[in-house]
Amino acid sequence: MIHAVLHDSKDTVAVAVVEGITAGMELSCWNMEEDKIITVKATQDIPIGHKVALVNMNDGDTVFKYSVDIGKVVAPIHAGDHAHVHNIKTKRW
């Protein structure tokens, strides 16, 4: 089963594509660019459509989704964490 999808190998987050992801689950994430599966253990519940971190990120790091810079980290994020507005902000403001 595929739990999350990332479009590009440089992506630091993947998008959850199934409901019911809970902390402790081993997630299968499909890397579409390389057509391979990578795994990450969810450290928090991840709602469908939300992002799961694939790598550890620190304050100020750039977050990539769909190979696009979607913002900067404003609170430390660990691989498997729920990545959302509480720990990522736009760089525009």
Side-chain angles (χ1 to χ4, degrees), residues 16 23 40 52 61 67 78 80 87:
V40 65
V52 58
D61 287 352
S67 189
H78 298 98
N87 52 21

Side-chain angles (χ1 to χ4, degrees), residues 7-82:
H7 288 215
D8 190 278
S9 296
K10 104 181 203 181
D11 290 351
T12 55
V13 296
V15 177
V17 294
V18 297
E19 292 183 5
I21 295 176
T22 57
M25 286 179 65
E26 191 73 24
L27 305 181
S28 294
C29 306
W30 178 35
N31 176 330
M32 295 173 67
E33 177 184 36
E34 297 181 12
D35 192 24
K36 72 176 188 178
I37 302 296
I38 61 171
T39 60
V40 65
K41 187 177 216 170
T43 59
Q44 301 169 321
D45 297 350
I46 313 290
I48 189 170
H50 286 232
K51 298 173 291 298
V52 58
L54 300 173
V55 297
N56 294 333
M57 294 176 271
N58 297 309
D59 288 351
D61 287 352
T62 296
V63 181
F64 290 95
K65 174 181 161 188
Y66 307 138
S67 189
V68 174
D69 174 344
I70 64 163
K72 67 179 176 183
V73 175
V74 295
I77 302 172
H78 298 98
D81 283 357
H82 180 204

